[in-house]
């Protein structure tokens, strides 16, 4: 009987852990994996670039885009806005996604707006504050090197 109770207890713990992993979500409160930067309108050089590794173990649909991302942000931008738009895009030879937690706590995401399977998000009137950025992968288990770009210049398609 004790052995049966022990087995049931172990199964309950394992089931609880599996359930916690299945429901994990990105956490913008964590420290970013690839650092952070303070920028203000008119920053140079423009675009600002940061190499990251895309993807992660967490499947999410935040911002209405299916993606695999890490739990911690890949990069954090502290931005002082002016009167210029702000654009985030990724260059990669694999299908990447972009997920951003905005200063007001809302999530936005993109998959292919930059063309060639590259994501692009343009904010016409960006707000000052913290932007937690996740460069995701469209395919589970795919973790390619990617280049995150942040710019105030006009970008229509990623080349």
């Amino acid at each position: 009987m004790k052995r049966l109770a022990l087995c049931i207890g172990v199964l309950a713990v394992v089931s609880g852990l599996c359930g916690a992993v299945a429901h994990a979500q990105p956490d913008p409160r964590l420290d970013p994996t690839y650092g952070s930067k303070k920028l203000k309108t008119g920053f140079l050089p423009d675009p600002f670039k940061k190499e990251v590794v895309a993807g992660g173990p967490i499947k999410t649909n935040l911002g209405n885009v299916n993606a695999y991302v890490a739990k911690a942000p890949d990069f954090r931008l502290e931005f002082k806005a002016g009167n210029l738009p702000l654009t985030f895009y990724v260059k990669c030879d694999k299908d990447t996604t972009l997920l951003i937690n905005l200063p007001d706590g809302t999530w936005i995401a993109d998959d292919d707006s930059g063309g060639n399977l590259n994501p692009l998000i343009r904010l016409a009137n960006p707000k000052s504050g913290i932007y937690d950025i996740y460069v995701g992968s469209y395919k589970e288990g795919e973790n390619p090197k990617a280049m995150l770009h942040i710019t105030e210049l006009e970008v229509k398609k990623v080349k």
Side-chain angles (χ1 to χ4, degrees), residues 22 25 31 44 47 49 55 59 68 73-74 77 85 93 104 111 119 122 136-137 150:
Q25 287 297 308
D31 290 335
L44 291 174
K49 300 176 187 178
K59 183 177 183 180
Y68 289 89
D74 290 307
L77 172 66
D93 61 356
D104 67 2
D111 185 9
R122 182 179 184 272
S137 176
I150 303 170

Side-chain angles (χ1 to χ4, degrees), residues 91-129:
K91 283 188 180 181
C92 185
D93 61 356
K94 301 287 184 185
D95 193 359
T96 54
T97 61
L98 195 52
L99 174 66
I100 302 174
N101 185 255
L102 299 174
D104 67 2
T106 60
W107 294 91
I108 58 173
D110 185 68
D111 185 9
D112 295 333
S113 293
N116 299 321
L117 304 178
N118 289 301
L120 182 147
I121 294 175
R122 182 179 184 272
L123 303 173
N125 298 300
K127 306 291 184 229
S128 292

Side-chain angles (χ1 to χ4, degrees), residues 41-71:
T41 293
F43 62 86
L44 291 174
D46 187 348
F48 170 82
K49 300 176 187 178
K50 185 66 176 182
E51 187 174 74
V52 302
V53 174
I58 297 173
K59 183 177 183 180
T60 184
N61 187 265
L62 289 170
N64 296 315
V65 170
N66 291 322
Y68 289 89
V69 299
K71 186 156 185 79

